[in-house]
Amino acid sequence: VSARLVTRAGPKRLTYIGVGSLLAGSAALLCIIVFAGTPAIPTMLLLFVTVSALGLVLGNASALATAQVTRFAGTGSAILGALQFTLAAIASPIVGMAGEHSAVPMAAAMLVSAGISALFLCTMTRGASMQPEEEGNEKSAVSAPGVK
């Protein structure tokens, strides 16, 4: 879906929509779990919304970040991957703290992660075009030998 929408909406707008959906879905999930227990249908629907929103966020955010470091795209990609795995390693034990008896830590971790994502997205991209520099500048993409 994201690949079809990116040509019309652009990666930055899809990232904003995805992070907004993550934030709204995670907040609703936490509210449902805290106030109504863990009803199956609403929980599954809200998990579907939040996981689906990741389809708009992950690829587009990675593409936007990599576009900013075109000369060092491999290094940038490696740092993104290492950061993702490090944050997952930190979040996993926190989510499992309540064991099998409560989904509150999972929903809370989802909401905190979505909130941090929204915070970084809004502060780090404010005023930035999120487009790679024009060719000829130092930050432009490195092309294959003999190709301009």
Side-chain angles (χ1 to χ4, degrees):
V1 174
S2 180
R4 291 180 191 251
L5 293 175
V6 75
T7 57
R8 287 187 239 155
K12 186 175 180 183
R13 180 174 291 151
L14 288 180
T15 304
Y16 272 95
I17 292 168
V19 169
S21 299
L22 277 172
L23 201 53
S26 298
L29 182 64
L30 183 60
C31 287
I32 290 288
I33 290 171
V34 167
F35 296 117
T38 311
I41 301 298
T43 301
M44 287 190 288
L45 288 174
L46 289 169
L47 284 172
F48 177 79
V49 167
T50 55
V51 173
S52 296
L54 288 174
L56 296 176
V57 174
L58 295 176
N60 291 309
S62 297
L64 289 169
T66 304
Q68 297 302 304
V69 291
T70 53
R71 289 186 74 196
F72 306 103
T75 303
S77 181
I79 290 171
L80 283 174
L83 183 61
Q84 289 171 350
F85 276 95
T86 302
L87 293 175
I90 293 168
S92 294
I94 294 170
V95 170
M97 283 184 352
E100 299 173 8
H101 307 293
S102 177
V104 172
M106 174 196 69
M110 289 171 63
L111 182 59
V112 168
S113 298
I116 291 169
S117 297
L119 178 70
F120 277 114
L121 182 64
C122 291
T123 58
M124 303 295 267
T125 63
R126 187 178 357 183
S129 70
M130 299 305 290
Q131 298 297 323
E133 293 288 323
E134 295 295 323
E135 192 169 331
N137 292 344
E138 288 182 24
K139 293 183 181 179
S140 68
V142 177
S143 59
V147 178
K148 290 197 177 197

